[in-house]
Amino acid sequence: MVVERPTTVGQLLASPALATATVLGGSRGLSATVSDVSLRTVVDREAAPRPGEMVVLDATTIGEHQYQLDVALRVSADAGASALVVANHGFEVGLGPRRLADRFDLPFVSLVESDSMELTHRLRASLWAADVEQAAVVEDFLAKIGAMRLGTPHEVIALISDLCASPVGLIGRGNDHVAGSEISIDGRRLASSTAHGVDRSGTMALHSTAIVIAPGEETAYWLVGESRASNGGQRLLQTLMQIGAWYLTALLASGRVRAESDARRRIAVFNEILDTSELLERDIRQQLHELGWSAAGWNTGLHIKIRGADAARIIELHPELRSRLRSHGLEGPLVERNDGWSGWINDPVEPAVDSYPDVVERAAKVMDDFVMAHSGVEAHIGIGRPYAELDGLRRTITEAHEAAVIASARSGERSGSAHIDHLGVQRVLMGWLGSEDFAHYARSVLEPVLRLDPDQQMLHTLEVYLDCSCSTSDAARQLSVHRNTVANRVRKIADVLDAHLEDPETRLSLQLACRVLRTNR
């Protein structure tokens, strides 16, 4: 048997019945226990409320006689009432009653427009018949969600939030906000893939329901909500979230199928652009037209290399990334690839040479914002030169891919950008580093470090230390550790490699080997 805890004023204020209410004063009394709820048109000493009673005062007939609020507050406080809810007052409540409520520590709540009888009934149901109230709300939820005829995740989440008077949101891997309210997890536990979870370590209970799109996959999303309501209110939120999660699973699975279908079409056309012969260019142009793409005029290639995202995640993030690029003036096709995305910007005339730095800067801003929104993800963008027509499109995309690989390999940051013209000797060096022989050499040289630390923390420390010109202080700041930690790690690495890091040639060899392993990871 579940023993219900006493319901407080604060918990009833978190119920849907009082979702639009405002606390005017007496907030220090929100922890008071509510024993009953009564409806009155006047509160005086001849009919004083009982101790613990929450009084709903219908103020329709008060008119200009606001002194009655003072009387109601004094009588309620003297009688030990738990709260005074004033409904349907057609006037601005002055400072006097508010201060009086603060003086008595009696919660003084305003509800400008309300059916007082229904409000009282709902509050009593929340207090004494939570299961009956919950059943009614669940029935309402099922009716409304059925009338949506699928709808969208935003609509489903908004419906749950409205019915529970609680913030509800959808987050993805890495706690990225997807839809609904933005709820900060702050280290609290999320549900496993098999159950609804409730974490009560914060001031509000955190509810979470895992959403697995397909059997055997990891959790793709969590439906999360926060509540400070009573036990009955917490059960209601849990029930609606679990039902909503089943519905969202169907919506998201349907959306994934459509997205994968669209992606396959884009990829097929893109591959034909890169591989086709001149004999098929008429067909290619027709397919470009059907997708709303154009290769006429001048094209500037883009390639975004991503780490920390699998193929499904790349498809899922496609709309967001395209929107981010568009918002920074980088409008054009974007196609999912195995390592990220490729695309291009189309111009009717050849872009001015001095416009390139601006494109690089805007692209870098997009990457910065993108990785900030998705923890655990790295993204580097490469930009090719502008070339004319379909033949030029193939060339600029190839350059953009090369620039993205180099930007990813040379940068110790989670994001970055590079234009092919700014890479110079790095392109020559990268050609050598990208060879199979050097990749084998790099792994053999660094194998002792990889065996020492399978998580590659030591390898990352070595790479950052060498990139920081062997400064333990600079490396420590970049790694967010103490400089002594860096020094100890570097000492262990030098011992296991039997290497003298004071030797410039040794440092260069190890730095290049680290770059190659990072590129191949």
Side-chain angles (χ1 to χ4, degrees), residues 13-23 109-114 119 165:
L13 284 173
S15 69
L18 292 174
T20 59
T22 303
V23 178
V109 181
S110 164
L111 203 61
V112 178
E113 294 183 6
S114 174
L119 171 64

Side-chain angles (χ1 to χ4, degrees), residues 65-274:
H65 305 295
Q66 291 195 38
Y67 69 88
Q68 293 186 31
L69 294 182
D70 293 357
V71 173
L73 285 165
R74 289 180 182 277
V75 171
S76 298
D78 290 343
S82 58
L84 178 65
V85 180
V86 181
N88 300 317
H89 54 88
F91 51 83
E92 185 74 23
V93 177
L95 287 177
R98 299 170 186 248
R99 290 171 176 168
L100 201 59
D102 286 335
R103 175 183 167 189
F104 295 142
D105 290 340
L106 179 70
F108 182 36
V109 181
S110 164
L111 203 61
V112 178
E113 294 183 6
S114 174
D115 183 326
S116 301
M117 186 72 74
E118 181 185 358
L119 171 64
T120 305
H121 171 74
R122 292 185 65 187
L123 290 174
R124 297 197 77 178
S126 297
L127 189 63
W128 296 114
D131 291 338
V132 174
E133 175 75 0
Q134 176 175 328
V137 176
V138 170
E139 183 179 3
D140 187 24
F141 177 61
L142 291 173
K144 289 179 177 177
I145 206 171
M148 280 184 181
R149 300 187 183 278
L150 288 183
T152 67
H154 296 274
E155 292 173 314
V156 176
I157 292 167
L159 182 56
I160 297 173
S161 182
D162 289 344
L163 291 174
C164 293
S166 298
V168 179
L170 186 67
I171 61 174
R173 299 168 192 167
N175 301 339
D176 305 332
H177 173 257
V178 177
S181 301
E182 291 196 37
I183 296 175
S184 178
I185 304 304
D186 292 332
R188 292 178 289 179
R189 295 188 307 275
L190 292 173
S192 68
S193 59
T194 58
H196 180 92
V198 184
D199 187 315
R200 302 182 187 275
S201 60
T203 56
M204 299 178 73
L206 174 70
H207 289 252
S208 58
T209 302
I211 295 177
V212 179
I213 302 300
E217 290 187 357
E218 295 182 354
T219 298
Y221 303 92
W222 282 267
L223 186 61
V224 295
E226 286 186 314
S227 175
R228 54 168 56 93
S230 62
N231 288 356
Q234 302 283 353
R235 288 200 304 274
L236 174 62
L237 178 59
Q238 175 175 341
T239 300
L240 294 192
M241 285 180 60
Q242 288 178 308
I243 297 173
W246 297 332
Y247 194 84
L248 285 169
T249 300
L251 279 181
L252 294 167
S254 175
R256 175 190 283 187
V257 170
R258 289 195 302 271
E260 289 179 349
S261 176
D262 292 343
R264 281 194 295 270
R265 186 183 181 200
R266 286 190 294 268
I267 292 168
V269 174
F270 188 79
N271 287 338
E272 289 189 29
I273 291 173
L274 297 182

Side-chain angles (χ1 to χ4, degrees), residues 401-411 418 420 423 426-427 430:
H401 187 276
E402 184 179 348
V405 171
I406 295 174
S408 176
R410 72 176 184 175
S411 172
I420 194 70
L423 298 176
Q426 295 177 54
R427 295 181 66 193
M430 204 64 197

Side-chain angles (χ1 to χ4, degrees), residues 323-331 362-363 365-366 369:
S323 176
R324 289 181 180 276
L325 289 167
R326 185 187 300 120
S327 67
H328 284 75
L330 303 176
E331 174 72 49
R362 282 183 280 147
K365 175 62 175 171
V366 173
D369 294 343

